[in-house]
Amino acid sequence: MARAVTPRRKAIATTAAWGIGLLLFFPILWTILTSFKTEAQAISNPPVFLFFDWTFENYQVVQDRSGYMKFLWNSVIIAGGSTLLGIIVAVPAAWSMAFVPSARTKDILLWMLSTKMLPAVGVLYPISLVFIKLGILDTRIGLVVVLMLINLPIIVWMLYTYFREIPSEILEAARMDGASLKEEILYVLTPMAVPGIASTLLLNFILAWNEAFWTLNLTAANAAPLTAFIASYSSPEGLFFAKLSAASTMAIAPILILGWFSQKQLVRGLTFGAVK
Amino acid sequence: MATAHSRTAARYMMAPAVTLLLGWMLVPLVMTLYFSFSDYRPLRGVFEPWVGFENYVRFWNSSSFADSVQTTLILVAAVLVITVALGILLAMLLNEPIWGQGIVRILVISPFFVMPTVSALVWKNMMLDPNNGIFSHIWRFFGAVPHDFLSQSPLFSIILILSWQWLPFATLILLTAIQSLDSEQLEAAEMDGAPPLARFWFLILPHLGRAITIVVLIQTIFLLSIFAEIFVTTGGAFGTRTLSYLVFQRIVESQNIGLGSAGGIFAVIVANIVAIFLMRIVGKNLDA
């Protein structure tokens, strides 16, 4: 790896990379900056970048007027609930596919992934009908179930990938030493599986937090999470740039930070370990 | 290692996931299939259980169907080409030694984590708006008349938004793949006098094959069903109606469940054609 790098080459690459990085980040940066402006400054021409009177007023107004916390809470419950439920269903399935593979394991895995290709609009109406019948339309529990189901294939795939990476030699060694099945699972496998399960939890929380089709179509007043709350700002009467920016910043900040910390797992998880 | 006993246990452990997914797939699909053969318009109180293939014929023959399929294909293909091509270039750039690599990486991948409804609204109002968007400020700065992107070049605008959202994902995956490339091999090629373009073509690109497959697969799955970006920006107007958005309009907006369901079945068929194609490649590439 000892490649000679000329300072010139490093300087050019650095400039280019920072330029592109800032360009890609600009819409987010601009939204965050705008959230601290007054409405007048937000639409001033020419635009002001940093030299304006910073204010937290917009955040206060978004909370006071539209009860931001309620939507945040819905998002947390729905994303968290569907992720937890998904893990509970997926761990045994992925576990058995990884450790007791059969001739059909690969087919089952591919079939599961193919259900992700089922167009959501094609089944929206029946799902709404079933939800009305069950009385769970516009409830958090309904969305928890739907988001769990749409992310289940990804969860199973990710866990399967992680479990397969646990070397079977270690298991055999434990058996040779006379470990019982219970000891084997508790002291050998679980510690090795925990990081994979944690990454899967994290990634699925991100996916569920950002999911928009089902949240927009299956919720109204009661169970609407942040995705739906933000979309309500698109109507003309709700269009205030600074307020919109404050609401947006609050909706994306937690996930943005989670995402920054989980880049590595993101690659492994979303590519099912095929790219390392 | 697998005994008969453990195989039975494995079946029980898999049962909940398989049953749930099977139900999730079959129950609504059968219902959609049933509705697709009926004239069902709840707002007008119309329900005739069997009209044969009438809905299918009507949906197929409407001019919006062909348009929406075309829009879908253009959208998906354009975003795939842009994100993969720029992703490769950006990944190669980020693989160079640079100052502040960690921070640049964070800047680059950030758009991927932005909620689709937020990114659609931010682009619509803060970037592309004809009065207050950044693009119009730049336009005015150069003395040009601001362009109303979302109504004058709507498809381009949506491709732009989607590419912005997905470029980070492509870059991240491709960067990881590039980093696993054996640098000694590259150096050997360099010493043998292989020009940069040849090194790219014969060494780097083949090495990226698997990563590119993954990027195409994942992005296609998500892009075929994009919704929020269109819903929030144009509402399907100005020729930005994808097949799944057309179905959404028939079912939710016009409440013509029969016609929409027939369209939904068409969408399922299109998705399955794509799926079979993709699964073949993935099945081959991922030695599960």
Side-chain angles (χ1 to χ4, degrees):
Chain A
M1 193 53 214
R3 270 172 83 187
V5 181
T6 59
R8 201 177 113 88
R9 181 167 170 171
K10 193 170 178 179
I12 292 174
T14 302
T15 316
W18 273 90
I20 294 170
L22 286 172
L23 199 68
L24 285 173
F25 191 69
F26 182 77
I28 299 170
L29 179 69
W30 189 240
T31 306
I32 297 171
L33 285 176
T34 307
S35 71
F36 293 108
K37 296 174 184 173
T38 62
E39 288 299 344
Q41 283 168 330
I43 55 166
S44 74
N45 184 18
V48 279
F49 279 87
L50 288 172
F51 305 105
F52 54 85
D53 307 317
W54 292 63
T55 168
F56 282 93
E57 195 199 326
N58 301 309
Y59 288 89
Q60 191 63 49
V61 174
V62 168
Q63 163 55 22
D64 288 351
R65 258 196 230 153
S66 38
Y68 165 84
M69 289 307 281
K70 194 186 96 189
F71 297 97
L72 175 75
W73 188 233
N74 280 342
S75 270
V76 171
I77 299 266
I78 291 166
S82 67
T83 306
L84 278 181
L85 200 60
I87 289 278
I88 292 172
V89 176
V91 165
W95 190 270
S96 58
M97 283 196 264
F99 291 111
V100 196
S102 73
R104 281 179 311 172
T105 299
K106 195 175 169 183
D107 293 333
I108 294 175
L109 274 169
L110 284 176
W111 165 73
M112 283 186 168
L113 194 60
S114 75
T115 63
K116 282 289 293 174
M117 304 289 273
L118 186 73
V121 279
V123 294
L124 172 63
Y125 193 75
I127 294 292
S128 316
L129 278 187
V130 170
F131 272 33
I132 292 171
K133 275 271 182 310
L134 296 175
I136 52 171
L137 192 73
D138 194 18
T139 62
R140 294 189 289 219
I141 190 78
L143 268 192
V144 164
V145 170
V146 166
L147 294 197
M148 185 271 274
L149 287 167
I150 62 165
N151 285 328
L152 191 58
I154 304 262
I155 305 189
V156 172
W157 264 88
M158 284 177 66
L159 288 172
Y160 170 78
T161 311
Y162 283 116
F163 290 163
R164 277 207 20 140
E165 284 171 9
I166 296 175
S168 57
E169 290 82 12
I170 296 184
L171 259 184
E172 276 157 34
R175 265 179 217 165
M176 297 276 228
D177 291 344
S180 68
L181 183 68
K182 195 176 135 202
E183 286 169 329
E184 198 180 294
I185 291 176
L186 218 58
Y187 301 114
V188 185
L189 291 176
T190 309
M192 282 193 285
V194 163
I197 295 177
S199 316
T200 310
L201 275 172
L202 198 66
L203 270 176
N204 279 278
F205 188 77
I206 295 176
L207 285 180
W209 184 275
N210 287 341
E211 205 288 327
F213 179 78
W214 292 104
T215 52
L216 282 169
N217 285 307
L218 291 182
T219 62
N222 292 323
L226 288 168
T227 38
F229 166 64
I230 297 292
S232 71
Y233 267 79
S234 63
S235 57
E237 67 265 42
L239 237 188
F240 298 102
F241 282 46
K243 312 260 177 323
L244 165 69
S245 300
S248 301
T249 306
M250 284 193 280
I252 62 173
I255 289 307
L256 209 53
I257 293 163
L258 266 187
W260 288 342
F261 284 116
S262 60
Q263 310 178 35
K264 284 242 166 58
Q265 290 87 321
L266 178 83
V267 176
R268 266 164 55 108
L270 277 179
T271 61
F272 315 125
V275 179
K276 282 174 201 146
Chain B
M1 208 168 97
T3 58
H5 176 71
S6 67
R7 246 179 254 125
T8 316
R11 237 175 253 141
Y12 281 113
M13 283 160 82
M14 259 160 61
V18 171
T19 314
L20 279 172
L21 277 177
L22 207 61
W24 167 247
M25 196 178 79
L26 286 181
V27 173
L29 208 56
V30 168
M31 285 170 82
T32 301
L33 206 60
Y34 170 69
F35 289 136
S36 72
F37 290 108
S38 64
D39 184 7
Y40 183 19
R41 283 168 289 165
L43 281 189
R44 298 195 190 170
V46 177
F47 184 74
E48 198 187 317
W50 178 258
V51 292
F53 282 90
E54 199 181 287
N55 290 318
Y56 287 90
V57 175
R58 261 185 68 201
F59 197 90
W60 179 272
N61 285 332
S62 73
S63 58
S64 30
F65 174 62
D67 288 348
S68 69
V69 171
Q70 196 189 348
T71 307
T72 310
L73 294 178
I74 293 176
L75 210 64
V76 174
V79 177
L80 283 178
V81 169
I82 293 171
T83 51
V84 170
L86 293 183
I88 292 173
L89 293 176
L90 194 50
M92 284 170 61
L93 177 64
L94 290 179
N95 191 39
E96 293 280 309
I98 50 178
W99 284 291
Q101 200 155 27
I103 302 171
V104 174
R105 239 173 110 147
I106 280 176
L107 294 180
V108 168
I109 61 160
S110 295
F112 184 68
F113 302 111
V114 176
M115 208 175 259
T117 46
V118 167
S119 73
L121 271 180
V122 163
W123 275 90
K124 179 187 179 186
N125 296 308
M126 325 266 292
M127 298 289 125
L128 303 175
D129 186 76
N131 298 314
N132 297 307
I134 291 293
F135 280 47
S136 343
H137 287 306
I138 298 172
W139 253 238
R140 269 194 292 271
F141 181 78
F142 289 108
V145 179
H147 186 74
D148 187 359
F149 283 88
L150 282 166
S151 62
Q152 283 169 281
S153 27
L155 199 53
F156 167 81
S157 307
I158 294 198
I159 290 172
L160 181 70
I161 299 172
L162 288 172
S163 301
W164 177 75
Q165 278 188 293
W166 284 97
L167 178 59
F169 172 74
T171 307
L172 191 60
I173 304 291
L174 292 165
L175 175 62
T176 313
I178 285 182
Q179 282 171 341
S180 71
L181 181 62
D182 189 1
S183 63
E184 274 167 30
Q185 226 181 351
L186 267 182
E187 271 163 57
E190 205 171 344
M191 287 211 275
D192 288 345
L197 210 60
R199 292 202 300 266
F200 173 74
W201 200 253
F202 295 110
L203 274 176
I204 299 177
L205 213 51
H207 179 77
L208 290 182
R210 208 177 202 197
I212 293 173
T213 315
I214 297 283
V215 170
V216 170
L217 168 76
I218 301 276
Q219 290 195 174
T220 308
I221 288 179
F222 283 91
L223 287 171
L224 273 179
S225 57
I226 52 144
F227 175 74
E229 292 83 349
I230 297 176
F231 179 73
V232 171
T233 52
T234 62
F238 319 117
T240 58
R241 196 156 53 184
T242 58
L243 179 55
S244 69
Y245 205 87
L246 175 66
V247 175
F248 167 78
Q249 284 185 326
R250 292 287 173 271
I251 289 179
V252 177
E253 286 169 18
S254 5
Q255 288 279 315
N256 191 335
I257 311 299
L259 188 62
S261 296
I265 296 297
F266 278 126
V268 171
I269 294 170
V270 170
N272 269 296
I273 294 171
V274 179
I276 291 169
F277 181 68
L278 280 175
M279 290 301 159
R280 278 246 171 101
I281 305 173
V282 175
K284 223 184 292 167
N285 255 324
L286 297 185
D287 209 19

